[in-house]
Amino acid sequence: MHPPVLSMPLFVMVALTVAVAKDLPQCQETDYYFEYTECDSTGSRWRVAIPQRLGSCTGLPDPVSGTDCTFSCGAGEFLEMSAQQCTQCAAGTYSLGSGIRFDEWDDIPPGFTSLATYMDSGPAGEDALTCSNSTWVPQGNYLESNRDECTVSLIYAVHLKKQGAVSFVYQYVDNNIFFEFFIQNDQCQEMDQTSDQKWIKLTNNGEWGTHTVDLKSGTNILYWRTTGILLGTKIVKPVLLKNVQIEGVAYTSECFPCKPGTFSRTPGSSSCDLCPRNTFSGKGASSCTHCDKDKQYAAEGSAECKEKPACSKKDYFQIHTPCDSEAKTQIMYKWIEPKICLENVTGAETLPPSGRREPCPPCNPGFYNNDTATCTPCPAGTYSDGVKACQKCPAGTEPALGYEYKWWNVLPANMKTSCFNVGNTKCDGMNGWEVAGDHIRSGAGSSDNDYLILNLRVPGFKLPTSVSRTTGSEFGRITFIFETICSADCELYFMMDVNRKSTNVVESWEGSKGKQSYTHIMTKNATVSYTWAFQRTNQAEDVRQYVNDIVKIYSITVTNAQDGASSSCRACALLSQRASCVPCPAGHYIQRDTNQCMECPPDTYLSGHQIYGKESCLPCGPGSRSNKDHSVCFSDCSFSHSDQNRTLTYDFSRLSAVGSIMNGPSFTSKGTKYYHLFNISLCGHEGQRAAVCTDNVTDLSNKDLQGDSNELANYVETFVCQSTIIPSDGRGFRMALSSQSISLADTFLGATVESSLSGISVRPDLFPETSKKVPDVNFFYRSPQATSSCEKGRNAVITLRCNPAKPARGELGVSSKCPAGTCDGCTFNFLWESASACPRCTEADYHDIEGACKGGVQDTLYVWNEPKLCTEGASLPGKKTLPCETIDFWLKVGAGIGAFVAVLLVSLTCYFWKKNKKLEYKYSRLVMTANKECELPGADSCAILEGEDQEEDVAYAQKPSLLGKLKSIATKGNGESCESVQLKSSKPERWVWG
């Protein structure tokens, strides 16, 4: 096909037409083709002849006036340039009239360019890694984007004479790839586009989407750009692109031949039809040729027939026949359709014989078998376990509606199965899943990279009449038990479509997985479509090599389904003496004995799927309380802790606003820079999960969902969430991209100073304490939803540490040992240092200092204990001033009295000491004047006469020493006796004995 418009100066055309070479042959019609010149200011143009090879012939037709610049042909026609008239396309070809279509991708068509850009530099500043080997890869029916981290653009330029449009069909299932489509003009300026036109919306696994954008007249350079982000070892699933169609070109000078595997039977076709199964066609076919049905086969839209191989065990599968009138079933074996193998050749397998007829399994709970071969749902107000006949619920009870599928003899009426091929929109009408008695399993498909789809639709949820709707309450839950058996890179997806707006992957599992259970809780009442998609391998292989890789689902249970059947009855709450079911107020349980509504005790919450008995009110964790509806436990931002006869009271209200931390940058294995953004809702908000993370690329491509933010494809509302951020300066993005938003914690467990709670432990090595005077407070959260990497769900611990040096809002951080916030991918640890994390001040946090008494007054000051590790609470008392008496006067009085007492004591001491000496002297004289016979002087000689004081003084000066007295006494006492003598005394008479 020639380019739709030729831009060539007129003088070049003239030069070509007047060039004459005497030795060149005359030009024939096959030696040249016609094109139009650019339109001039009057809207006119010329038709000129262009030689196929310059200088190969002479005598080109002269330029003639061309058609009007706005002229175009209709669908199925082309502009015949010789006559400048629209002509019908021949059989085997097609035309869009004023458009072009690219639907053949054996290689990249002319005009398209695949351009890879360099990676960002790594963290060490090493040279950028080249992406020269990264490109869009042709796969026959579609183009496949690169699977690495390189940014690869598919570029096509088109010049339009009038406004037009571009549309393309794509498959985009992996949000680890950013897929954008944008347009530039001939000045390389990006044209104005709305975000939903630029960012492509995700599709379901195995399904194709269509994207259409209007084009302006003039030059339009179209870009399809993909960028993979490999944050782990998981390989991204590529973007698939096919059927690119551009409307608005001025004309097409020829028709397009039908691609192999298609045909157009009649002239004037605007499209080609696929060849039926077991037929084929070549390029430009007007009909399809049949294969040799005995030896060959061909899928729908095949370009050739393939030889049938010998049948093997991979070509048949086992089924259970539906129950017959005798309630019997048997195992049978069927060939996988379409059958592409031969039985009557050497080494071929044959179908095993059918098994014996056995009793059918019972009906699923809520259904009954009324002497027929099929199971029927129990009528309203009745229930059945699937074995017994349906019975009416007793008075005061109501049916417990839902689905409980555990026997798979036939596919339930509200389920359907299908198959999508990567290259086509269907798998030749094959079923994707097959029932197998006690389980349902994936089918064979037409090739290993097919998506095998199983869908269950729930029109809505109906809470028991005894339960009132509350914010955040559980409307229902789906639980299924499954296992995967794989030898290749198989993957099972569990997806959810809410209100038919967008389908997003809830969870996925890769490779072989043992038998396990998975539960998802619905917190809003809506029409939901649950989908299981299984793919054996994502490699482009049109063979059935891994047909024995299968997934089995053993049971599916949905509670409170609006149109469900009942397998049991549950008690209703009674109002007064009425025996009808009435709703219990929010936060009330049903008392088993009386069927009355009873409010849950304080600080307990009502279990979402059990409301009977007081045991359904579960206690909140330490440091938490329940909201008024008893639907959730939360922290009201207050916390108390008793330590060493002291009660520490905390107030975290200043930390109630959502906190954010962006750690990094981190780099993938190939150097792409990214960050992790964490949003944390610590406390308050009446239990509302205030932390919000979203995928802004998905948001931008789904503006129709903005009215109901809860239905955004990757909208997360929780206590702790995480998003991956690609900075705006990376990969040429003009804005920062947020993707892969996940919930890390949607349940508050409690707060404590202990290092563990409910099986979650704080690692002391991550955040060693800097002070032991005030203990850290740990907030524990959990997301019980199991994932493929965290079988017990995810946990989060926020450690609050008192740090007066930090501001009131403080600083959030992660450990340097686990810079991603987690060391194992399942438990996330954060440190929040803040002055608001200190306990409230009390009287024990300050002391007083008394000043000196000056001028009759005394001041008392109060100061904080250092270091101050408290906030708010009790404040410092003001300075106290009290009157006091000066000590100068009393000091003088005291000194005077003291001096007088001292003089008096000294005087009395001298007086009595002197008197005592006189008595001692007189007694000594009396002893010395006595004779040797120990005679004492007469009584009159012992008298003290007046005037003897002076003699006594002399005698006293010459008195013998104490030693002499002792010797004298000792001498007088040797062998002699003494007689007692009565002496006269001034005192009363007293007898003295020797």
Side-chain angles (χ1 to χ4, degrees):
M1 184 190 74
H2 301 302
V5 174
L6 177 66
S7 298
M8 185 174 293
L10 181 60
F11 71 86
V12 176
M13 300 297 156
V14 175
L16 291 174
T17 57
V18 301
V20 177
K22 296 180 179 180
D23 56 345
L24 294 180
Q26 189 72 18
C27 289
Q28 305 297 320
E29 290 186 0
T30 56
D31 295 328
Y32 59 88
Y33 61 92
F34 292 107
E35 283 292 354
Y36 285 118
T37 63
E38 291 285 349
C39 293
D40 58 22
S41 59
T42 63
S44 301
R45 57 184 174 180
W46 293 84
R47 189 201 70 176
V48 297
I50 308 297
Q52 298 285 0
R53 290 184 298 113
L54 292 177
S56 60
C57 63
T58 185
L60 291 173
D62 294 333
V64 298
S65 177
T67 59
D68 184 82
C69 288
T70 60
F71 176 84
S72 62
C73 295
E77 298 179 332
F78 74 100
L79 181 62
E80 203 285 311
M81 295 294 290
S82 296
Q84 298 192 69
Q85 294 180 349
C86 293
T87 307
Q88 278 192 339
C89 292
T93 64
Y94 73 97
S95 168
L96 301 177
S98 60
I100 53 177
R101 178 188 296 159
F102 301 94
D103 56 3
E104 197 172 344
W105 303 97
D106 292 322
D107 52 19
I108 295 181
F112 282 86
T113 302
S114 182
L115 177 64
T117 60
Y118 288 104
M119 303 290 291
D120 296 335
S121 296
E126 63 268 18
D127 293 336
L129 301 177
T130 181
C131 292
S132 57
N133 294 327
S134 297
T135 183
W136 286 77
V137 181
Q139 296 290 356
N141 291 325
Y142 58 89
L143 271 179
E144 181 182 282
S145 70
N146 57 307
R147 295 171 180 257
D148 54 25
E149 288 187 292
C150 294
T151 298
V152 182
S153 298
L154 181 68
I155 307 171
Y156 183 77
V158 62
H159 188 83
L160 303 182
K161 291 298 183 182
K162 58 182 179 179
Q163 290 184 349
V166 57
S167 65
F168 54 89
V169 180
Y170 69 95
Q171 190 175 116
Y172 173 31
V173 299
D174 193 341
N175 63 358
N176 288 300
I177 290 182
F178 297 121
F179 182 28
E180 57 181 329
F181 173 74
F182 59 96
I183 306 167
Q184 290 182 350
N185 57 22
D186 52 4
Q187 304 298 320
C188 294
Q189 296 174 339
E190 188 169 333
M191 296 184 181
D192 293 334
Q193 287 179 265
T194 59
S195 56
D196 57 331
Q197 290 178 328
K198 179 174 181 179
W199 298 103
I200 309 301
K201 181 180 178 180
L202 289 167
T203 62
N204 299 340
N205 287 276
E207 296 185 0
W208 294 86
T210 301
H211 191 74
T212 302
V213 178
D214 293 333
L215 300 177
K216 296 180 180 180
S217 59
T219 300
N220 294 265
I221 305 175
L222 313 180
Y223 287 83
W224 292 265
R225 184 163 69 178
T226 61
T227 301
I229 305 298
L230 302 179
L231 299 181
T233 58
K234 182 178 178 180
I235 302 299
V236 297
K237 293 185 178 297
V239 173
L240 308 183
L241 180 67
K242 67 177 184 178
N243 293 349
V244 178
Q245 182 170 311
I246 301 173
E247 296 284 351
V249 297
Y251 64 91
T252 177
S253 59
E254 61 182 348
C255 295
F256 301 98
C258 292
K259 68 177 183 178
T262 65
F263 71 101
S264 64
R265 193 182 305 276
T266 59
S269 297
S270 60
S271 62
C272 300
D273 300 321
L274 291 174
C275 286
R277 182 183 301 135
N278 293 327
T279 65
F280 74 99
S281 70
K283 191 171 184 177
S286 59
S287 63
C288 298
T289 305
H290 288 276
C291 300
D292 183 349
K293 63 180 181 179
D294 295 327
K295 298 180 180 180
Q296 296 176 322
Y297 74 96
E300 186 179 30
S302 294
E304 61 180 357
C305 294
K306 296 181 180 180
E307 297 295 325
K308 291 183 178 180
C311 292
S312 66
K313 292 182 178 180
K314 295 180 179 180
D315 294 306
Y316 63 82
F317 62 97
Q318 168 188 311
I319 65 167
H320 284 69
T321 62
C323 290
D324 57 21
S325 58
E326 299 179 358
K328 298 284 188 179
T329 184
Q330 66 181 145
I331 296 176
M332 296 185 65
Y333 297 89
K334 292 179 61 176
W335 293 111
I336 296 174
E337 295 295 340
K339 184 182 177 184
I340 58 173
C341 65
L342 297 174
E343 297 181 67
N344 54 354
V345 295
T346 304
E349 291 279 345
T350 58
L351 284 179
S354 300
R356 62 181 182 179
R357 297 173 70 240
E358 299 177 348
C360 288
C363 294
N364 283 311
F367 291 75
Y368 73 101
N369 189 331
N370 191 13
D371 297 329
T372 63
T374 60
C375 294
T376 306
C378 287
T382 64
Y383 72 99
S384 172
D385 60 358
V387 178
K388 300 178 183 178
C390 298
Q391 304 176 32
K392 288 187 177 181
C393 289
T397 65
E398 62 177 337
L401 299 178
Y403 311 139
E404 189 175 350
Y405 302 135
K406 60 181 181 180
W407 300 110
W408 302 94
N409 201 47
V410 294
L411 193 68
N414 59 348
M415 298 184 72
K416 65 179 182 179
T417 176
S418 59
C419 174
F420 290 96
N421 182 266
V422 174
N424 302 302
T425 57
K426 57 183 179 179
C427 305
D428 298 318
M430 299 179 59
N431 289 333
W433 293 64
E434 302 286 349
V435 294
D438 64 343
H439 68 273
I440 183 172
R441 62 184 179 184
S442 55
S446 61
S447 61
D448 285 339
N449 62 353
D450 291 343
Y451 285 96
L452 308 175
I453 308 296
L454 179 66
N455 179 268
L456 168 63
R457 185 176 182 273
V458 183
F461 296 90
K462 182 180 180 181
L463 287 175
T465 56
S466 55
V467 177
S468 295
R469 176 179 176 178
T470 59
T471 302
S473 61
E474 176 183 323
F475 282 86
R477 59 174 58 193
I478 180 172
T479 301
F480 58 92
I481 299 174
F482 72 98
E483 72 171 328
T484 56
I485 304 171
C486 299
S487 58
D489 57 332
C490 72
E491 189 160 7
L492 172 65
Y493 300 88
F494 174 59
M495 301 177 289
M496 181 174 67
D497 181 357
V498 179
N499 289 335
R500 297 183 177 180
K501 289 195 173 182
S502 63
T503 300
N504 57 312
V505 176
V506 178
E507 188 56 75
S508 63
W509 298 267
E510 293 183 3
S512 294
K513 298 294 180 183
K515 193 173 182 180
Q516 57 187 279
S517 174
Y518 180 81
T519 298
H520 179 75
I521 298 174
M522 283 296 299
T523 57
K524 64 181 301 181
N525 193 1
T527 299
V528 181
S529 180
Y530 296 110
T531 301
W532 294 265
F534 181 70
Q535 187 184 38
R536 294 186 176 90
T537 177
N538 65 359
Q539 302 299 320
E541 298 177 0
D542 190 21
V543 295
R544 287 198 294 228
Q545 181 179 357
Y546 305 110
V547 70
N548 291 328
D549 290 5
I550 60 174
V551 56
K552 296 181 179 180
I553 296 181
Y554 293 92
S555 66
I556 300 176
T557 303
V558 180
T559 63
N560 300 335
Q562 195 173 77
D563 64 340
S566 175
S567 62
S568 62
C569 298
R570 51 193 170 196
C572 295
L574 301 182
L575 179 63
S576 299
Q577 302 299 319
R578 294 175 58 190
S580 60
C581 295
V582 296
C584 280
H588 287 62
Y589 67 93
I590 300 176
Q591 195 174 37
R592 294 185 184 276
D593 298 334
T594 63
N595 282 358
Q596 298 293 328
C597 295
M598 305 293 293
E599 185 176 5
C600 283
D603 296 334
T604 63
Y605 68 98
L606 191 63
S607 173
H609 57 284
Q610 171 64 30
I611 59 172
Y612 308 106
K614 192 174 181 179
E615 62 272 15
S616 62
C617 299
L618 306 177
C620 293
S624 65
R625 54 174 296 185
S626 62
N627 60 357
K628 61 181 180 180
D629 293 335
H630 293 277
S631 61
V632 68
C633 294
F634 70 100
S635 169
D636 60 357
C637 298
S638 62
F639 180 76
S640 297
H641 171 65
S642 296
D643 182 27
Q644 297 179 355
N645 298 325
R646 180 189 176 190
T647 299
L648 301 177
T649 303
Y650 296 82
D651 180 8
F652 302 127
S653 57
R654 292 191 177 182
L655 305 180
S656 61
V658 175
S660 298
I661 175 177
M662 183 182 290
N663 68 326
S666 300
F667 296 85
T668 63
S669 59
K670 289 192 175 182
T672 302
K673 181 168 62 175
Y674 68 93
Y675 297 84
H676 276 148
L677 172 67
F678 299 94
N679 289 331
I680 298 175
S681 175
L682 183 70
C683 60
H685 307 288
E686 286 293 319
Q688 178 185 358
R689 302 175 179 93
V692 177
C693 294
T694 187
D695 181 340
N696 67 359
V697 175
T698 304
D699 295 348
L700 294 173
S701 62
N702 288 276
K703 279 199 167 183
D704 57 319
L705 305 182
Q706 295 294 330
D708 186 358
S709 60
N710 287 331
E711 295 175 7
L712 292 174
N714 284 305
Y715 179 88
V716 175
E717 187 179 48
T718 183
F719 288 114
V720 183
C721 60
Q722 171 192 289
S723 293
T724 300
I725 307 296
I726 309 298
S728 58
D729 58 351
R731 302 304 181 82
F733 295 130
R734 295 189 301 174
M735 57 175 290
L737 302 181
S738 172
S739 69
Q740 304 174 30
S741 299
I742 59 174
S743 172
L744 302 182
D746 53 18
T747 302
F748 177 63
L749 301 178
T752 177
V753 298
E754 303 297 331
S755 60
S756 63
L757 182 67
S758 300
I760 307 175
S761 298
V762 178
R763 289 185 53 181
D765 61 313
L766 295 182
F767 306 111
E769 292 191 32
T770 56
S771 173
K772 294 293 185 180
K773 294 183 179 180
V774 177
D776 292 341
V777 180
N778 299 305
F779 276 63
F780 295 86
Y781 301 86
R782 170 168 290 166
S783 180
Q785 205 79 306
T787 66
S788 56
S789 57
C790 301
E791 296 181 356
K792 297 182 179 180
R794 298 185 178 96
N795 304 312
V797 182
I798 294 94
T799 300
L800 302 181
R801 178 165 296 170
C802 171
N803 190 338
K806 301 293 183 180
R809 279 291 296 166
E811 294 180 3
L812 265 169
V814 295
S815 173
S816 58
K817 295 184 179 180
C818 304
T822 177
C823 296
D824 57 6
C826 298
T827 299
F828 292 78
N829 297 270
F830 305 92
L831 176 65
W832 200 333
E833 290 189 279
S834 169
S836 300
C838 297
R840 296 178 67 87
C841 296
T842 64
E843 295 180 357
D845 293 305
Y846 61 82
H847 62 276
D848 59 344
I849 299 177
E850 293 184 351
C853 184
K854 295 181 179 180
V857 294
Q858 183 183 30
D859 294 333
T860 301
L861 300 177
Y862 296 88
V863 296
W864 294 110
N865 299 332
E866 292 295 337
K868 181 188 176 184
L869 298 175
C870 65
T871 183
E872 298 183 345
S875 58
L876 282 177
K879 181 178 66 174
K880 291 184 179 180
T881 301
L882 298 175
C884 62
E885 296 184 7
T886 181
I887 63 172
D888 292 345
F889 171 76
W890 293 107
L891 182 60
K892 295 176 181 178
V893 173
I897 294 174
F900 173 77
V901 171
V903 171
L904 180 61
L905 291 175
V906 171
S907 301
L908 291 175
T909 300
C910 293
Y911 170 76
F912 286 109
W913 178 76
K914 185 175 182 181
K915 187 174 182 180
N916 182 55
K917 289 300 182 179
K918 288 181 179 179
L919 291 174
E920 183 180 353
Y921 165 70
K922 291 180 179 180
Y923 179 76
S924 299
R925 286 183 60 189
L926 181 60
V927 172
M928 293 176 62
T929 54
N931 53 24
K932 294 182 181 180
E933 288 81 11
C934 296
E935 292 181 355
L936 294 175
D940 54 351
S941 63
C942 293
I944 300 175
L945 301 178
E946 295 180 3
E948 292 182 350
D949 289 342
Q950 293 181 354
E951 293 179 0
E952 291 174 357
D953 292 339
V954 176
Y956 175 73
Q958 295 178 356
K959 68 178 183 177
S961 65
L962 179 59
L963 182 59
K965 295 178 183 179
L966 295 176
K967 288 182 178 181
S968 174
I969 295 173
T971 303
K972 293 179 179 179
N974 285 338
E976 297 180 3
S977 62
C978 297
E979 296 179 357
S980 62
V981 179
Q982 184 178 2
L983 301 176
K984 291 289 186 179
S985 172
S986 61
K987 293 182 179 182
E989 294 183 352
R990 179 176 295 176
W991 293 98
V992 182
W993 300 91

